Amino acid sequence: MKIDWMEQGYAQTKDVSYMQEAKKIIDRLKQYEPNNRLVILAKYRYHKNMNEIELALDELHEGVKKFPWDIEFYNTAIHEHYLLGERELLKYTNRDNESWNSALKLYNEIERRMQLLEELPEEQLQGRRFDISPDIRQLVAQIYYFTGKPERTIELLKSATGGDLNEPLNRSSVRFYLAALDAIGQRDDELKRKLFAADPEEEQRLQELLKTI
């Protein structure tokens, strides 16, 4: 609770002393509870607030290792790797993006574990939810698009093209789906019409997206 107060104080004031105090508490806790998921998440947030992204990712990967069935660690790590990968685009010209590769490995591990759950006998309950959320699927589809694999983008987003286009996430899915179709020489004019009708600004967004690969 005190760590949470310190984080709130920092968020409101940007006074680094709040985070310094939070780190003292986190480090003390971790000595006694190194396997406490809340402590690991608190240390991730500390490094995130301090803009120490690599160290923040180290904490998330520790969480994945210690809690391999906790989807929160996977989702948060994929999201952070995606954001870091966007910055890495400025450094890499051959589409070899280390952070995005790490995000894809985490995504593949989620899929592998989902398959294991499918193979459980009917009488054995799955327990806590462990599946791929729409926003994570969207991020992974975007990685495939930007790294020259539009077929995988289409595969991941096809099921989302029938969603409510008043929702920003659904519009983003359709935008990337249409761009991926264009990349392989295909089109869906009816879906494009629906997208532009839902938000006229999507026409410009789609055109800008088509220029990126």
Side-chain angles (χ1 to χ4, degrees):
M1 185 178 294
K2 187 173 182 181
I3 293 169
D4 186 55
W5 291 341
M6 295 300 103
E7 291 174 346
Q8 290 181 44
Y10 176 74
Q12 294 171 13
T13 67
K14 299 305 177 184
D15 185 343
V16 177
S17 65
Y18 284 108
M19 294 312 301
Q20 291 172 338
E21 180 63 22
K23 186 175 186 300
K24 291 178 183 177
I25 303 169
I26 294 167
D27 289 344
R28 198 157 61 240
L29 274 172
K30 202 156 188 182
Q31 291 179 19
Y32 299 99
E33 296 190 61
N35 298 317
N36 187 314
R37 70 182 296 276
L38 295 179
V39 175
I40 296 173
L41 287 169
K43 196 160 187 183
Y44 150 70
R45 292 194 303 273
Y46 167 79
H47 289 304
K48 173 78 168 175
N49 282 323
M50 295 294 96
N51 201 32
E52 299 168 345
I53 303 304
E54 294 291 352
L55 293 175
L57 281 165
D58 287 344
E59 292 300 321
L60 293 174
H61 281 281
E62 179 182 347
V64 168
K65 182 178 180 181
K66 291 182 174 179
F67 302 95
W69 292 100
D70 191 326
I71 196 65
E72 181 177 359
F73 284 109
Y74 291 90
N75 287 348
T76 308
I78 289 173
H79 185 258
E80 292 294 351
H81 274 300
Y82 180 84
L83 295 177
L84 184 57
E86 282 188 321
R87 293 194 286 274
E88 287 182 354
L89 283 177
L90 299 175
K91 298 187 297 183
Y92 295 94
T93 58
N94 60 354
R95 292 182 174 171
D96 182 16
N97 190 305
E98 183 178 347
S99 289
W100 281 357
N101 289 338
S102 295
L104 294 178
K105 287 178 183 178
L106 288 164
Y107 181 81
N108 290 337
E109 178 62 12
I110 295 175
E111 288 193 318
R112 187 186 74 83
R113 289 182 176 274
M114 287 175 61
Q115 183 59 42
L116 292 176
L117 292 174
E118 289 288 331
E119 295 169 1
L120 287 175
E122 292 185 6
E123 62 272 14
Q124 185 172 345
L125 298 177
Q126 172 179 326
R128 179 182 294 186
R129 181 187 70 83
F130 191 90
D131 55 19
I132 298 167
S133 62
D135 55 332
I136 293 301
R137 188 181 301 276
Q138 171 75 29
L139 289 181
V140 171
Q142 291 176 198
I143 290 174
Y144 280 125
Y145 177 79
F146 288 128
T147 54
K149 301 178 181 66
E151 294 87 357
R152 290 288 285 131
T153 301
I154 294 167
E155 179 185 337
L156 287 174
L157 296 181
K158 188 173 180 59
S159 62
T161 58
D164 181 0
L165 291 178
N166 290 314
E167 295 293 329
L169 181 62
N170 290 336
R171 291 201 302 273
S172 179
S173 295
V174 169
R175 184 191 322 133
F176 273 88
Y177 177 80
L178 290 171
L181 283 180
D182 185 270
I184 63 171
Q186 297 182 18
R187 55 194 298 164
D188 187 331
D189 291 334
E190 177 63 17
L191 184 59
K192 185 183 296 185
R193 184 191 63 77
K194 291 178 180 178
L195 177 64
F196 297 166
D199 183 352
E201 293 185 5
E202 284 293 342
E203 184 171 3
Q204 179 63 31
R205 296 188 187 113
L206 178 59
Q207 290 303 316
E208 291 174 356
L209 187 57
L210 291 171
K211 297 176 184 177
T212 60
I213 62 169

